[in-house]
Structure formats: structure tokens, C-alpha cells
Amino acid sequence: MPGTLYLVPTPIGNLGDISLRMKQTLECCDFIAAEDTRVTLKLLNHLSLKKPMAAYYRHNKEAGGQAILARLLGGESCALVTDAGTPAISDPGEELVALCAAHDIPVISIPGPCALTVALSASGLPTGRFTFEGFLAMNKKNRRIHLDSLQSEERTMIFYEAPHKLPATLADLLVAFGPDRRISICRELTKLHEEILRTTLGEAAAHFSDHTPRGEFVLILEGGSAPHEEAPSEEEALEAVAQLLGEGLSPKDAIRKTAEQYGLSKNKLYDIYIKNN
Ligand code: SAM
């Protein structure tokens, strides 16, 4: 029987966010696959745990993934951790989970810290529908293609960004979405200097042009508004009334139904109808 892959989130800045289940999973698994074993060793020391570790990071994910897969197929259980936050979310793990799924190896995801949900929930922007966009590409062309694809996005958008790239990213977002678009800039979440700046793209770009960004950032950007449906012309509304009259409706019912269908005022449509008949 194969072992289980556990996805274990780790704190994004506050060790108080270590959960009982997170600790128990690290304690009970056969080995830990870690993005950076030195970072994870500090966490294990904090928890007074000792556990064999294997490295699994962006540049060894092919060979590292195969080695972990072989151990899982051999019956060992593995806890995957990254340096901070939830594995597989802009972090190593996605391919390993796909590999496990393809080999019918059980994958259990332990809930825990994730920068995007911490930021979104406190952003003050709509949370009902959102899209996670990760990091924008460094390559100018790919970045432009990515931003162009979001031009008519109505959902709240979430971006990760490194501090030294923040001013350039805000400048690009300003060009793409205009100065009035609302943005919540979430900095150093769960840490001592946690801060949420709820502002507009115009103000944010100006602010960071003379304040050097420090720390880690999540950007929550308001979605665009849905294009307003054009109000029908008088002619179109009268044509709709005429069609309903042709179907045998009374003028009163035809006007009421058309007004409802097009979101018009019944009285106004009645006046237009009288004027034209
Ligand atoms: N998998 C991680 C997660 O789920 O939170 C994200 C890893 S990604 C490589 C790192 C990015 O997450 C940072 O560049 C930053 O955008 C965001 N991030 C991580 N910790 C953060 C924090 N404490 N405050 C704000 N953003 C954070």
C-alpha cells in the first residue's frame, strides 16, 4: 500500500500560527520534503522535533519528485513543506501533487497560513469572486500579455510581489487599470509591522515613488465594473411593443412587458408610445 503525501503549511511570519495538526503531521510522517532544509530545520528545532528530510525545490523538482514518489510507492508517508505558507501555491508542490494523483497516492492538504487568503480576507475589497494571479512575469512582453488578459476582469485580483519590484509593478498596474482603481496593499502579514494600505492605484504609485518598499507584499486589486448594457433606442422599444401588440397583447400589457424587459420606466415608455401613435 502506498504512503500518503501531506501538504503542511507553515507560518508566514508568526510562529503562533503553528497548528496542532501541523505539528502532529510533521511528527508522525516518515520524512519531510522541504524547499530549504535549513529553514525547515529551524522550525523543527522550535517544535523540538527530529525528522529525516529530503530537499524538494524549484530546480530539482524532476529528480526530487521521482525520488519522493518512489518512497511513497514503497509505503512511506511524506510531509511536504515550503519556507513559508502553503505548498503548491506559488511554491514547489504542484507537480508533486499531480505526480501523486497520477499514481493513486493519497494527498492530504492540512489547512493553514496562506498569504493570499490572509490578504484577501482583510483587504476590504469584494471577496465573493476573485482570481489569484501569482507573480507578474519579469519579462516585459509576458507581463504585458498577462495584464492585457486582465483588462476586462471583473473579479478581485490577487498578486504576489517582491519589495524591489513593487514600484515598477504599481506603475504597470496604473497604466493597465487607471488611477481610480482601488487596491489594498498588504504588507508583512502576521508580522510585527503588518500593514494594510487601502488606496487607489494612482495614490499607491505616487506613495511608493518616494517610499522604499520593505518586507513582503500581497496586492489585492479591485475588479472592473461590468459594461453597462446600452439603453435601447426609442425605436427599438417601440418595435418591441409593436411585436407584442401583434401577438395579441393589449397596449397596456405590451408597454408594461417591454418596460420590464428593457429596464425602462413604464410611464416614460407610455408617453413615447402615445406620441408616436
Ligand atoms: N506559498 C506561499 C503562501 O501560500 O503564502 C507563498 C510563497 S511565494 C514564493 C512568496 C510570496 O508570498 C511573497 O513574495 C509575498 O508576495 C507573499 N507573502 C508571503 N508571506 C507574506 C507576508 N507575511 N506578508 C505579505 N506577503 C507575503
Side-chain angles (χ1 to χ4, degrees), residues 27-220:
E27 202 166 11
C28 296
C29 66
D30 292 309
F31 71 103
I32 295 172
E35 181 180 15
D36 183 336
T37 51
R38 292 161 304 180
V39 173
T40 302
L41 185 61
K42 285 188 196 151
L43 181 71
L44 294 181
N45 288 340
H46 174 80
L47 297 171
S48 308
L49 294 178
K50 279 203 166 95
K51 194 60 70 175
M53 282 195 271
Y56 181 73
Y57 53 93
R58 203 171 304 283
H59 299 294
N60 86 337
K61 62 186 178 195
E62 301 282 320
Q66 289 300 331
I68 294 167
L69 176 68
R71 292 180 71 171
L72 286 161
L73 287 170
E76 288 184 80
S77 62
C78 170
L80 175 67
V81 298
T82 61
D83 293 349
T86 298
I89 305 297
S90 283
D91 258 347
E94 185 181 346
E95 290 87 352
L96 185 59
V97 173
L99 206 55
C100 288
H103 287 81
D104 286 331
I105 292 171
V107 177
I108 293 182
S109 178
I110 312 288
C114 184
L116 78 95
T117 49
V118 176
L120 175 67
S121 54
S123 67
L125 291 170
T127 60
R129 296 180 67 214
F130 59 87
T131 161
F132 175 55
E133 298 298 322
F135 290 95
L136 284 172
M138 298 230 276
N139 171 290
K140 275 194 174 167
K141 188 174 161 217
N142 292 343
R143 176 178 275 245
R144 170 68 24 229
I145 292 171
H146 189 165
L147 289 174
D148 283 351
S149 76
L150 295 173
Q151 266 312 297
S152 51
E153 181 56 69
E154 292 168 23
R155 294 168 294 181
T156 298
M157 291 162 266
I158 306 171
F159 300 91
Y160 282 168
E161 195 46 286
H164 62 285
K165 296 193 209 131
L166 185 71
T169 292
L170 288 174
D172 288 345
L173 292 175
L174 177 64
V175 171
F177 301 103
D180 299 327
R181 186 68 70 91
R182 289 189 297 161
I183 185 167
S184 293
I185 300 182
C186 308
R187 176 179 164 265
E188 294 287 83
L189 296 165
T190 76
K191 301 183 193 176
L192 188 62
H193 298 293
E194 171 164 344
E195 188 177 47
I196 300 181
L197 182 61
R198 298 182 181 92
T199 180
T200 60
L201 276 177
E203 284 173 7
H207 176 81
F208 284 105
S209 65
D210 61 3
H211 287 75
T212 307
R214 290 190 208 289
E216 298 196 273
F217 290 87
V218 181
L219 310 179
I220 310 287

